[in-house]
Amino acid sequence: PLRLVGSEMCIRDSTGTISMGDKSWNGLQDVSSFEQYYNKTQKVTITCDNNSDPSITVGYLISDSALSSDDLGAATFTEYKKAFSIKDEGKYVVYAKLSSEDGKTTYLSTDGFIIDTHAPKVTGIADGETYCLSAVMTVKESHLAKVTVNGEEKSLDDDHSLALEATDGEQTIIVSDKAGNETKLTVTVNKKHLSLIHISE
């Protein structure tokens, strides 16, 4: 579904820029994938370039998928009055429409991007715990980047799980996603079973 979210009179030409963080776009992008990730709210600003016609107006909309020229022509754009923020998790493309009084229209868009604010979820082990002989961890993360154990990158099996081998000392596991969120756990997996002997008089 589309979320329609504000046209401001520009003091410049029917060319403009969409800016978000340290990125900017001044044309309609070929959005074939969503490869840019963010882990926090993104502020979006739309501006017109210098020497523009003051009659040009600007509207924008937010989509969760790429739109064709026909889609854009049929869509309803909301007036752009000031910079706005996108904070909810999900897939996004921001489109802008620059329109002049003589009927000329220019479209702009960002690349496809994803906002992911949650760290990967790890089950089967718990931070600070000790296990005997082996321990199996399972990762739940749609945008997984990598898993490391004591700095060494590891691969998960088809069930998104990893068996930790018994070793001397602690093992530090870091699971990170493409947005930069990470989960860090430190566990000990002993090479043999340990038992407590209680002596009573």
Side-chain angles (χ1 to χ4, degrees):
L2 298 181
R3 287 188 295 160
L4 306 180
V5 200
S7 141
E8 138 182 299
M9 300 298 291
C10 293
I11 320 171
R12 309 165 185 120
D13 190 69
S14 56
T15 59
T17 302
I18 303 176
S19 301
M20 191 173 71
D22 60 356
K23 289 186 171 292
S24 61
W25 301 265
N26 56 15
L28 191 59
Q29 309 303 307
D30 179 12
V31 182
S32 57
S33 62
F34 291 75
E35 297 295 334
Q36 185 66 50
Y37 294 83
Y38 300 96
N39 60 13
K40 59 183 179 181
T41 297
Q42 295 300 302
K43 182 179 180 180
V44 181
T45 303
I46 304 173
T47 58
C48 292
D49 294 337
N50 292 329
N51 306 315
S52 75
D53 179 343
S55 69
I56 292 172
T57 58
V58 181
Y60 73 97
L61 65 81
I62 303 173
S63 174
D64 60 6
S65 61
L67 300 179
S68 67
S69 297
D70 289 343
D71 292 331
L72 293 172
T76 301
F77 284 73
T78 307
E79 281 189 324
Y80 175 78
K81 296 181 179 180
K82 61 180 181 179
F84 58 90
S85 296
I86 301 176
K87 64 180 181 179
D88 295 335
E89 289 200 341
K91 296 168 60 177
Y92 297 96
V93 185
V94 178
Y95 289 92
K97 179 181 180 180
L98 313 184
S99 304
S100 61
E101 288 184 341
D102 61 6
K104 293 181 180 179
T105 300
T106 300
Y107 292 106
L108 314 173
S109 76
T110 64
D111 290 323
F113 63 95
I114 292 173
I115 293 181
D116 178 359
T117 61
H118 288 83
K121 184 177 181 180
V122 178
T123 60
I125 60 173
D127 187 40
E129 291 297 314
T130 298
Y131 303 91
C132 293
L133 302 179
S134 67
V136 177
M137 56 176 277
T138 301
V139 176
K140 184 178 181 180
E141 173 55 54
S142 300
H143 311 122
L144 183 65
K146 65 179 179 179
V147 177
T148 63
V149 178
N150 288 343
E152 182 181 351
E153 188 166 353
K154 299 290 185 178
S155 297
L156 302 179
D157 63 20
D158 292 341
D159 295 321
H160 309 290
S161 297
L162 173 67
L164 300 174
E165 298 180 359
T167 186
D168 293 326
E170 294 180 332
Q171 299 185 57
T172 299
I173 298 99
I174 299 177
V175 183
S176 57
D177 65 24
K178 294 178 181 179
N181 304 299
E182 69 175 36
T183 298
K184 181 177 180 180
L185 307 95
T186 299
V187 301
T188 300
V189 183
N190 289 320
K191 291 183 177 181
K192 59 183 178 180
H193 288 294
L194 299 178
S195 59
L196 297 177
I197 301 175
H198 297 277
I199 301 176
S200 58
E201 295 181 356

